[in-house]
Amino acid sequence: GFVGVDVFFVLSGYLITGLLTQELHQTGRILLSCFYARRLKRLLPALMVMLLISAGGALWLLSDLEARAQLASAPFAASWTSNLYFVLRAVDYFNELASRDLFLHTWSLGVEEQFYLIWPPILLTMAWLVRRAGTSPHQRMTMWLSLGLLLMASLGLTLSWTISWPTAAFYLMPARIWQFTLGAWVYRGLSDFSE
């Protein structure tokens, strides 16, 4: 079951890199405000409906004490920061009794949306580096090295945190960047292959 989230992050990196790269090639820039507006328009309505229905159900079906405990993470889920809430509370995702939280599943949306805050600027920086590299072979090498360094740095952090702070390795975005970057790497590889 938990491998599905890993695959989701790789696919997300692939798709978002594709969208942003196509926009960059077509217009010469990435309109960050439009990118973030599209993300909000796509995700926010469903998130709000889920939060309202879950909160209403908790208030109706649970005791006041239980409802308050269950709804403590709702503001974090609404702001795509529930992963930070769960890491600070040291919630073990795989401990069924300790992880009974109505909004535990929203941690992955938090990671994804936090990643989307940094990914467009990272891609713009990579595009700038690639343009400065000059010739086509140097440009490709610069792009592959940039993605590879980012992937390796995040994977190294993940391995380190897995030993010293496993909860952070699971919930925090920096430890998941390698998965999104792997998706970007696959996108770039397929793009290069088709050119």
PDB file of all heavy atoms in Angstrom, residues 89-121:
ATOM      1  N   ARG A  89       4.277  15.747  15.637  1.00  0.00           N
ATOM      2  CA  ARG A  89       3.602  14.906  16.633  1.00  0.00           C
ATOM      3  C   ARG A  89       4.177  13.501  16.654  1.00  0.00           C
ATOM      4  O   ARG A  89       3.748  12.672  17.449  1.00  0.00           O
ATOM      5  CB  ARG A  89       2.108  14.825  16.327  1.00  0.00           C
ATOM      6  CG  ARG A  89       1.408  16.149  16.614  1.00  0.00           C
ATOM      7  CD  ARG A  89      -0.084  16.030  16.805  1.00  0.00           C
ATOM      8  NE  ARG A  89      -0.461  14.984  17.720  1.00  0.00           N
ATOM      9  CZ  ARG A  89      -1.365  14.045  17.434  1.00  0.00           C
ATOM     10  NH1 ARG A  89      -1.967  14.027  16.272  1.00  0.00           N
ATOM     11  NH2 ARG A  89      -1.688  13.132  18.318  1.00  0.00           N
ATOM     12  N   ALA A  90       5.146  13.231  15.779  1.00  0.00           N
ATOM     13  CA  ALA A  90       5.797  11.916  15.679  1.00  0.00           C
ATOM     14  C   ALA A  90       4.772  10.796  15.481  1.00  0.00           C
ATOM     15  O   ALA A  90       4.846   9.738  16.106  1.00  0.00           O
ATOM     16  CB  ALA A  90       6.679  11.649  16.895  1.00  0.00           C
ATOM     17  N   VAL A  91       3.805  11.045  14.582  1.00  0.00           N
ATOM     18  CA  VAL A  91       2.784  10.041  14.288  1.00  0.00           C
ATOM     19  C   VAL A  91       3.398   8.960  13.404  1.00  0.00           C
ATOM     20  O   VAL A  91       3.927   9.238  12.331  1.00  0.00           O
ATOM     21  CB  VAL A  91       1.566  10.688  13.583  1.00  0.00           C
ATOM     22  CG1 VAL A  91       0.585   9.629  13.114  1.00  0.00           C
ATOM     23  CG2 VAL A  91       0.892  11.677  14.512  1.00  0.00           C
ATOM     24  N   ASP A  92       3.319   7.734  13.876  1.00  0.00           N
ATOM     25  CA  ASP A  92       3.809   6.589  13.103  1.00  0.00           C
ATOM     26  C   ASP A  92       2.700   6.171  12.138  1.00  0.00           C
ATOM     27  O   ASP A  92       1.683   5.623  12.546  1.00  0.00           O
ATOM     28  CB  ASP A  92       4.182   5.446  14.039  1.00  0.00           C
ATOM     29  CG  ASP A  92       4.720   4.236  13.306  1.00  0.00           C
ATOM     30  OD1 ASP A  92       4.757   4.238  12.058  1.00  0.00           O
ATOM     31  OD2 ASP A  92       5.109   3.270  13.985  1.00  0.00           O
ATOM     32  N   TYR A  93       2.903   6.433  10.879  1.00  0.00           N
ATOM     33  CA  TYR A  93       1.900   6.152   9.859  1.00  0.00           C
ATOM     34  C   TYR A  93       1.482   4.683   9.859  1.00  0.00           C
ATOM     35  O   TYR A  93       0.354   4.352   9.553  1.00  0.00           O
ATOM     36  CB  TYR A  93       2.444   6.540   8.487  1.00  0.00           C
ATOM     37  CG  TYR A  93       1.449   6.437   7.370  1.00  0.00           C
ATOM     38  CD1 TYR A  93       0.564   7.483   7.123  1.00  0.00           C
ATOM     39  CD2 TYR A  93       1.364   5.310   6.567  1.00  0.00           C
ATOM     40  CE1 TYR A  93      -0.375   7.405   6.104  1.00  0.00           C
ATOM     41  CE2 TYR A  93       0.438   5.219   5.547  1.00  0.00           C
ATOM     42  CZ  TYR A  93      -0.426   6.268   5.320  1.00  0.00           C
ATOM     43  OH  TYR A  93      -1.354   6.186   4.315  1.00  0.00           O
ATOM     44  N   PHE A  94       2.403   3.800  10.221  1.00  0.00           N
ATOM     45  CA  PHE A  94       2.144   2.365  10.131  1.00  0.00           C
ATOM     46  C   PHE A  94       1.640   1.755  11.439  1.00  0.00           C
ATOM     47  O   PHE A  94       1.378   0.572  11.499  1.00  0.00           O
ATOM     48  CB  PHE A  94       3.400   1.643   9.651  1.00  0.00           C
ATOM     49  CG  PHE A  94       3.831   2.138   8.313  1.00  0.00           C
ATOM     50  CD1 PHE A  94       4.903   3.005   8.203  1.00  0.00           C
ATOM     51  CD2 PHE A  94       3.145   1.785   7.174  1.00  0.00           C
ATOM     52  CE1 PHE A  94       5.282   3.492   6.968  1.00  0.00           C
ATOM     53  CE2 PHE A  94       3.519   2.269   5.937  1.00  0.00           C
ATOM     54  CZ  PHE A  94       4.592   3.122   5.826  1.00  0.00           C
ATOM     55  N   ASN A  95       1.489   2.551  12.491  1.00  0.00           N
ATOM     56  CA  ASN A  95       0.935   2.089  13.750  1.00  0.00           C
ATOM     57  C   ASN A  95      -0.549   2.416  13.732  1.00  0.00           C
ATOM     58  O   ASN A  95      -0.953   3.554  13.926  1.00  0.00           O
ATOM     59  CB  ASN A  95       1.629   2.771  14.931  1.00  0.00           C
ATOM     60  CG  ASN A  95       1.085   2.323  16.264  1.00  0.00           C
ATOM     61  OD1 ASN A  95       0.038   1.690  16.358  1.00  0.00           O
ATOM     62  ND2 ASN A  95       1.797   2.662  17.316  1.00  0.00           N
ATOM     63  N   GLU A  96      -1.370   1.411  13.510  1.00  0.00           N
ATOM     64  CA  GLU A  96      -2.798   1.629  13.274  1.00  0.00           C
ATOM     65  C   GLU A  96      -3.472   2.382  14.414  1.00  0.00           C
ATOM     66  O   GLU A  96      -4.260   3.301  14.191  1.00  0.00           O
ATOM     67  CB  GLU A  96      -3.499   0.292  13.048  1.00  0.00           C
ATOM     68  CG  GLU A  96      -4.961   0.447  12.703  1.00  0.00           C
ATOM     69  CD  GLU A  96      -5.658  -0.872  12.482  1.00  0.00           C
ATOM     70  OE1 GLU A  96      -4.984  -1.873  12.185  1.00  0.00           O
ATOM     71  OE2 GLU A  96      -6.879  -0.892  12.632  1.00  0.00           O
ATOM     72  N   LEU A  97      -3.179   2.037  15.645  1.00  0.00           N
ATOM     73  CA  LEU A  97      -3.850   2.699  16.763  1.00  0.00           C
ATOM     74  C   LEU A  97      -3.366   4.126  16.955  1.00  0.00           C
ATOM     75  O   LEU A  97      -4.157   5.022  17.217  1.00  0.00           O
ATOM     76  CB  LEU A  97      -3.653   1.888  18.049  1.00  0.00           C
ATOM     77  CG  LEU A  97      -4.333   0.518  18.056  1.00  0.00           C
ATOM     78  CD1 LEU A  97      -3.985  -0.232  19.332  1.00  0.00           C
ATOM     79  CD2 LEU A  97      -5.840   0.660  17.921  1.00  0.00           C
ATOM     80  N   ALA A  98      -2.061   4.338  16.824  1.00  0.00           N
ATOM     81  CA  ALA A  98      -1.516   5.686  17.040  1.00  0.00           C
ATOM     82  C   ALA A  98      -1.832   6.613  15.878  1.00  0.00           C
ATOM     83  O   ALA A  98      -1.832   7.823  16.034  1.00  0.00           O
ATOM     84  CB  ALA A  98      -0.010   5.617  17.249  1.00  0.00           C
ATOM     85  N   SER A  99      -2.108   6.074  14.711  1.00  0.00           N
ATOM     86  CA  SER A  99      -2.287   6.911  13.525  1.00  0.00           C
ATOM     87  C   SER A  99      -3.747   7.099  13.138  1.00  0.00           C
ATOM     88  O   SER A  99      -4.030   7.465  12.019  1.00  0.00           O
ATOM     89  CB  SER A  99      -1.506   6.317  12.353  1.00  0.00           C
ATOM     90  OG  SER A  99      -2.003   5.034  12.042  1.00  0.00           O
ATOM     91  N   ARG A 100      -4.644   6.882  14.050  1.00  0.00           N
ATOM     92  CA  ARG A 100      -6.062   7.115  13.742  1.00  0.00           C
ATOM     93  C   ARG A 100      -6.328   8.611  13.748  1.00  0.00           C
ATOM     94  O   ARG A 100      -6.523   9.214  14.790  1.00  0.00           O
ATOM     95  CB  ARG A 100      -6.947   6.401  14.743  1.00  0.00           C
ATOM     96  CG  ARG A 100      -6.968   4.918  14.524  1.00  0.00           C
ATOM     97  CD  ARG A 100      -8.027   4.275  15.344  1.00  0.00           C
ATOM     98  NE  ARG A 100      -7.985   2.840  15.114  1.00  0.00           N
ATOM     99  CZ  ARG A 100      -8.633   1.975  15.836  1.00  0.00           C
ATOM    100  NH1 ARG A 100      -9.378   2.377  16.841  1.00  0.00           N
ATOM    101  NH2 ARG A 100      -8.536   0.700  15.566  1.00  0.00           N
ATOM    102  N   ASP A 101      -6.293   9.171  12.603  1.00  0.00           N
ATOM    103  CA  ASP A 101      -6.548  10.597  12.428  1.00  0.00           C
ATOM    104  C   ASP A 101      -7.323  10.754  11.131  1.00  0.00           C
ATOM    105  O   ASP A 101      -6.938  10.184  10.110  1.00  0.00           O
ATOM    106  CB  ASP A 101      -5.217  11.365  12.366  1.00  0.00           C
ATOM    107  CG  ASP A 101      -5.421  12.862  12.386  1.00  0.00           C
ATOM    108  OD1 ASP A 101      -5.956  13.396  11.390  1.00  0.00           O
ATOM    109  OD2 ASP A 101      -5.040  13.489  13.390  1.00  0.00           O
ATOM    110  N   LEU A 102      -8.386  11.518  11.182  1.00  0.00           N
ATOM    111  CA  LEU A 102      -9.237  11.675  10.001  1.00  0.00           C
ATOM    112  C   LEU A 102      -8.482  12.207   8.790  1.00  0.00           C
ATOM    113  O   LEU A 102      -8.849  11.933   7.657  1.00  0.00           O
ATOM    114  CB  LEU A 102     -10.394  12.630  10.312  1.00  0.00           C
ATOM    115  CG  LEU A 102     -11.513  12.090  11.183  1.00  0.00           C
ATOM    116  CD1 LEU A 102     -12.523  13.189  11.491  1.00  0.00           C
ATOM    117  CD2 LEU A 102     -12.203  10.919  10.503  1.00  0.00           C
ATOM    118  N   PHE A 103      -7.426  12.962   9.048  1.00  0.00           N
ATOM    119  CA  PHE A 103      -6.753  13.642   7.945  1.00  0.00           C
ATOM    120  C   PHE A 103      -5.326  13.149   7.723  1.00  0.00           C
ATOM    121  O   PHE A 103      -4.542  13.817   7.053  1.00  0.00           O
ATOM    122  CB  PHE A 103      -6.787  15.154   8.187  1.00  0.00           C
ATOM    123  CG  PHE A 103      -8.193  15.651   8.394  1.00  0.00           C
ATOM    124  CD1 PHE A 103      -8.599  16.121   9.634  1.00  0.00           C
ATOM    125  CD2 PHE A 103      -9.113  15.611   7.366  1.00  0.00           C
ATOM    126  CE1 PHE A 103      -9.893  16.553   9.826  1.00  0.00           C
ATOM    127  CE2 PHE A 103     -10.417  16.033   7.555  1.00  0.00           C
ATOM    128  CZ  PHE A 103     -10.816  16.512   8.790  1.00  0.00           C
ATOM    129  N   LEU A 104      -5.007  11.977   8.255  1.00  0.00           N
ATOM    130  CA  LEU A 104      -3.658  11.433   8.081  1.00  0.00           C
ATOM    131  C   LEU A 104      -3.312  11.270   6.601  1.00  0.00           C
ATOM    132  O   LEU A 104      -2.180  11.515   6.183  1.00  0.00           O
ATOM    133  CB  LEU A 104      -3.513  10.098   8.811  1.00  0.00           C
ATOM    134  CG  LEU A 104      -2.140   9.437   8.757  1.00  0.00           C
ATOM    135  CD1 LEU A 104      -1.082  10.333   9.411  1.00  0.00           C
ATOM    136  CD2 LEU A 104      -2.161   8.085   9.438  1.00  0.00           C
ATOM    137  N   HIS A 105      -4.294  10.900   5.806  1.00  0.00           N
ATOM    138  CA  HIS A 105      -4.042  10.674   4.378  1.00  0.00           C
ATOM    139  C   HIS A 105      -3.639  11.952   3.634  1.00  0.00           C
ATOM    140  O   HIS A 105      -3.107  11.881   2.531  1.00  0.00           O
ATOM    141  CB  HIS A 105      -5.279  10.058   3.725  1.00  0.00           C
ATOM    142  CG  HIS A 105      -6.464  10.967   3.711  1.00  0.00           C
ATOM    143  ND1 HIS A 105      -7.224  11.211   4.839  1.00  0.00           N
ATOM    144  CD2 HIS A 105      -7.010  11.711   2.730  1.00  0.00           C
ATOM    145  CE1 HIS A 105      -8.193  12.058   4.530  1.00  0.00           C
ATOM    146  NE2 HIS A 105      -8.083  12.379   3.257  1.00  0.00           N
ATOM    147  N   THR A 106      -3.855  13.112   4.231  1.00  0.00           N
ATOM    148  CA  THR A 106      -3.525  14.359   3.533  1.00  0.00           C
ATOM    149  C   THR A 106      -2.045  14.715   3.608  1.00  0.00           C
ATOM    150  O   THR A 106      -1.613  15.681   2.984  1.00  0.00           O
ATOM    151  CB  THR A 106      -4.343  15.539   4.094  1.00  0.00           C
ATOM    152  OG1 THR A 106      -3.994  15.752   5.464  1.00  0.00           O
ATOM    153  CG2 THR A 106      -5.838  15.284   3.966  1.00  0.00           C
ATOM    154  N   TRP A 107      -1.250  13.926   4.336  1.00  0.00           N
ATOM    155  CA  TRP A 107       0.185  14.228   4.439  1.00  0.00           C
ATOM    156  C   TRP A 107       0.836  14.246   3.062  1.00  0.00           C
ATOM    157  O   TRP A 107       1.699  15.082   2.799  1.00  0.00           O
ATOM    158  CB  TRP A 107       0.904  13.227   5.352  1.00  0.00           C
ATOM    159  CG  TRP A 107       1.108  11.878   4.724  1.00  0.00           C
ATOM    160  CD1 TRP A 107       0.268  10.804   4.777  1.00  0.00           C
ATOM    161  CD2 TRP A 107       2.216  11.473   3.923  1.00  0.00           C
ATOM    162  NE1 TRP A 107       0.780   9.761   4.055  1.00  0.00           N
ATOM    163  CE2 TRP A 107       1.977  10.143   3.526  1.00  0.00           C
ATOM    164  CE3 TRP A 107       3.383  12.108   3.505  1.00  0.00           C
ATOM    165  CZ2 TRP A 107       2.872   9.434   2.732  1.00  0.00           C
ATOM    166  CZ3 TRP A 107       4.271  11.392   2.709  1.00  0.00           C
ATOM    167  CH2 TRP A 107       4.011  10.072   2.335  1.00  0.00           C
ATOM    168  N   SER A 108       0.413  13.345   2.175  1.00  0.00           N
ATOM    169  CA  SER A 108       1.058  13.274   0.856  1.00  0.00           C
ATOM    170  C   SER A 108       0.714  14.496   0.003  1.00  0.00           C
ATOM    171  O   SER A 108       1.536  14.949  -0.790  1.00  0.00           O
ATOM    172  CB  SER A 108       0.687  11.981   0.134  1.00  0.00           C
ATOM    173  OG  SER A 108      -0.712  11.905  -0.061  1.00  0.00           O
ATOM    174  N   LEU A 109      -0.490  15.046   0.173  1.00  0.00           N
ATOM    175  CA  LEU A 109      -0.833  16.287  -0.533  1.00  0.00           C
ATOM    176  C   LEU A 109       0.019  17.440  -0.039  1.00  0.00           C
ATOM    177  O   LEU A 109       0.408  18.315  -0.812  1.00  0.00           O
ATOM    178  CB  LEU A 109      -2.316  16.616  -0.351  1.00  0.00           C
ATOM    179  CG  LEU A 109      -3.293  15.749  -1.119  1.00  0.00           C
ATOM    180  CD1 LEU A 109      -4.729  16.104  -0.757  1.00  0.00           C
ATOM    181  CD2 LEU A 109      -3.084  15.888  -2.610  1.00  0.00           C
ATOM    182  N   GLY A 110       0.311  17.435   1.269  1.00  0.00           N
ATOM    183  CA  GLY A 110       1.199  18.457   1.819  1.00  0.00           C
ATOM    184  C   GLY A 110       2.571  18.396   1.177  1.00  0.00           C
ATOM    185  O   GLY A 110       3.129  19.410   0.753  1.00  0.00           O
ATOM    186  N   VAL A 111       3.121  17.177   1.084  1.00  0.00           N
ATOM    187  CA  VAL A 111       4.438  17.004   0.459  1.00  0.00           C
ATOM    188  C   VAL A 111       4.398  17.488  -0.983  1.00  0.00           C
ATOM    189  O   VAL A 111       5.276  18.231  -1.429  1.00  0.00           O
ATOM    190  CB  VAL A 111       4.886  15.524   0.527  1.00  0.00           C
ATOM    191  CG1 VAL A 111       6.111  15.278  -0.341  1.00  0.00           C
ATOM    192  CG2 VAL A 111       5.149  15.104   1.967  1.00  0.00           C
ATOM    193  N   GLU A 112       3.358  17.084  -1.712  1.00  0.00           N
ATOM    194  CA  GLU A 112       3.259  17.439  -3.122  1.00  0.00           C
ATOM    195  C   GLU A 112       3.155  18.953  -3.306  1.00  0.00           C
ATOM    196  O   GLU A 112       3.881  19.540  -4.124  1.00  0.00           O
ATOM    197  CB  GLU A 112       2.046  16.748  -3.748  1.00  0.00           C
ATOM    198  CG  GLU A 112       1.909  17.025  -5.233  1.00  0.00           C
ATOM    199  CD  GLU A 112       0.657  16.420  -5.821  1.00  0.00           C
ATOM    200  OE1 GLU A 112      -0.359  16.309  -5.119  1.00  0.00           O
ATOM    201  OE2 GLU A 112       0.698  16.091  -7.012  1.00  0.00           O
ATOM    202  N   GLU A 113       2.284  19.597  -2.558  1.00  0.00           N
ATOM    203  CA  GLU A 113       2.101  21.035  -2.725  1.00  0.00           C
ATOM    204  C   GLU A 113       3.329  21.815  -2.272  1.00  0.00           C
ATOM    205  O   GLU A 113       3.678  22.838  -2.864  1.00  0.00           O
ATOM    206  CB  GLU A 113       0.852  21.509  -1.991  1.00  0.00           C
ATOM    207  CG  GLU A 113      -0.437  20.957  -2.582  1.00  0.00           C
ATOM    208  CD  GLU A 113      -0.546  21.134  -4.089  1.00  0.00           C
ATOM    209  OE1 GLU A 113      -0.379  22.271  -4.577  1.00  0.00           O
ATOM    210  OE2 GLU A 113      -0.792  20.137  -4.785  1.00  0.00           O
ATOM    211  N   GLN A 114       4.006  21.361  -1.235  1.00  0.00           N
ATOM    212  CA  GLN A 114       5.255  22.017  -0.814  1.00  0.00           C
ATOM    213  C   GLN A 114       6.321  21.872  -1.892  1.00  0.00           C
ATOM    214  O   GLN A 114       7.081  22.796  -2.161  1.00  0.00           O
ATOM    215  CB  GLN A 114       5.725  21.446   0.519  1.00  0.00           C
ATOM    216  CG  GLN A 114       4.819  21.811   1.669  1.00  0.00           C
ATOM    217  CD  GLN A 114       4.919  20.850   2.830  1.00  0.00           C
ATOM    218  OE1 GLN A 114       5.934  20.200   3.036  1.00  0.00           O
ATOM    219  NE2 GLN A 114       3.848  20.759   3.608  1.00  0.00           N
ATOM    220  N   PHE A 115       6.354  20.706  -2.532  1.00  0.00           N
ATOM    221  CA  PHE A 115       7.299  20.499  -3.630  1.00  0.00           C
ATOM    222  C   PHE A 115       6.996  21.460  -4.776  1.00  0.00           C
ATOM    223  O   PHE A 115       7.910  22.032  -5.380  1.00  0.00           O
ATOM    224  CB  PHE A 115       7.229  19.052  -4.112  1.00  0.00           C
ATOM    225  CG  PHE A 115       8.106  18.784  -5.297  1.00  0.00           C
ATOM    226  CD1 PHE A 115       9.475  18.645  -5.155  1.00  0.00           C
ATOM    227  CD2 PHE A 115       7.556  18.688  -6.563  1.00  0.00           C
ATOM    228  CE1 PHE A 115      10.288  18.415  -6.259  1.00  0.00           C
ATOM    229  CE2 PHE A 115       8.361  18.458  -7.671  1.00  0.00           C
ATOM    230  CZ  PHE A 115       9.724  18.322  -7.511  1.00  0.00           C
ATOM    231  N   TYR A 116       5.714  21.673  -5.064  1.00  0.00           N
ATOM    232  CA  TYR A 116       5.332  22.550  -6.171  1.00  0.00           C
ATOM    233  C   TYR A 116       5.673  24.007  -5.908  1.00  0.00           C
ATOM    234  O   TYR A 116       5.712  24.805  -6.840  1.00  0.00           O
ATOM    235  CB  TYR A 116       3.850  22.402  -6.493  1.00  0.00           C
ATOM    236  CG  TYR A 116       3.505  21.067  -7.107  1.00  0.00           C
ATOM    237  CD1 TYR A 116       2.221  20.567  -7.040  1.00  0.00           C
ATOM    238  CD2 TYR A 116       4.465  20.295  -7.744  1.00  0.00           C
ATOM    239  CE1 TYR A 116       1.894  19.348  -7.600  1.00  0.00           C
ATOM    240  CE2 TYR A 116       4.152  19.080  -8.298  1.00  0.00           C
ATOM    241  CZ  TYR A 116       2.871  18.604  -8.226  1.00  0.00           C
ATOM    242  OH  TYR A 116       2.559  17.399  -8.778  1.00  0.00           O
ATOM    243  N   LEU A 117       5.895  24.357  -4.659  1.00  0.00           N
ATOM    244  CA  LEU A 117       6.350  25.715  -4.364  1.00  0.00           C
ATOM    245  C   LEU A 117       7.784  25.937  -4.840  1.00  0.00           C
ATOM    246  O   LEU A 117       8.141  27.032  -5.266  1.00  0.00           O
ATOM    247  CB  LEU A 117       6.268  26.004  -2.860  1.00  0.00           C
ATOM    248  CG  LEU A 117       4.876  26.178  -2.293  1.00  0.00           C
ATOM    249  CD1 LEU A 117       4.952  26.350  -0.771  1.00  0.00           C
ATOM    250  CD2 LEU A 117       4.148  27.347  -2.929  1.00  0.00           C
ATOM    251  N   ILE A 118       8.604  24.889  -4.769  1.00  0.00           N
ATOM    252  CA  ILE A 118      10.023  25.048  -5.123  1.00  0.00           C
ATOM    253  C   ILE A 118      10.368  24.548  -6.522  1.00  0.00           C
ATOM    254  O   ILE A 118      11.364  24.978  -7.087  1.00  0.00           O
ATOM    255  CB  ILE A 118      10.946  24.367  -4.089  1.00  0.00           C
ATOM    256  CG1 ILE A 118      10.757  22.844  -4.095  1.00  0.00           C
ATOM    257  CG2 ILE A 118      10.735  24.948  -2.699  1.00  0.00           C
ATOM    258  CD1 ILE A 118      11.852  22.091  -3.398  1.00  0.00           C
ATOM    259  N   TRP A 119       9.558  23.656  -7.096  1.00  0.00           N
ATOM    260  CA  TRP A 119       9.943  23.028  -8.368  1.00  0.00           C
ATOM    261  C   TRP A 119       9.988  23.990  -9.546  1.00  0.00           C
ATOM    262  O   TRP A 119      10.961  23.963 -10.316  1.00  0.00           O
ATOM    263  CB  TRP A 119       9.048  21.832  -8.664  1.00  0.00           C
ATOM    264  CG  TRP A 119       9.573  20.937  -9.746  1.00  0.00           C
ATOM    265  CD1 TRP A 119       8.937  20.607 -10.904  1.00  0.00           C
ATOM    266  CD2 TRP A 119      10.840  20.267  -9.778  1.00  0.00           C
ATOM    267  NE1 TRP A 119       9.725  19.769 -11.648  1.00  0.00           N
ATOM    268  CE2 TRP A 119      10.900  19.542 -10.980  1.00  0.00           C
ATOM    269  CE3 TRP A 119      11.925  20.206  -8.924  1.00  0.00           C
ATOM    270  CZ2 TRP A 119      12.000  18.768 -11.352  1.00  0.00           C
ATOM    271  CZ3 TRP A 119      13.021  19.442  -9.282  1.00  0.00           C
ATOM    272  CH2 TRP A 119      13.046  18.734 -10.480  1.00  0.00           C
ATOM    273  N   PRO A 120       9.005  24.860  -9.758  1.00  0.00           N
ATOM    274  CA  PRO A 120       9.120  25.799 -10.885  1.00  0.00           C
ATOM    275  C   PRO A 120      10.382  26.663 -10.805  1.00  0.00           C
ATOM    276  O   PRO A 120      11.096  26.791 -11.813  1.00  0.00           O
ATOM    277  CB  PRO A 120       7.829  26.621 -10.806  1.00  0.00           C
ATOM    278  CG  PRO A 120       6.858  25.711 -10.152  1.00  0.00           C
ATOM    279  CD  PRO A 120       7.666  24.955  -9.129  1.00  0.00           C
ATOM    280  N   PRO A 121      10.715  27.266  -9.645  1.00  0.00           N
ATOM    281  CA  PRO A 121      11.975  28.021  -9.599  1.00  0.00           C
ATOM    282  C   PRO A 121      13.212  27.156  -9.850  1.00  0.00           C
ATOM    283  O   PRO A 121      14.171  27.608 -10.482  1.00  0.00           O
ATOM    284  CB  PRO A 121      11.997  28.610  -8.182  1.00  0.00           C
ATOM    285  CG  PRO A 121      10.577  28.643  -7.751  1.00  0.00           C
ATOM    286  CD  PRO A 121       9.927  27.466  -8.416  1.00  0.00           C
TER     287      PRO A 121
END
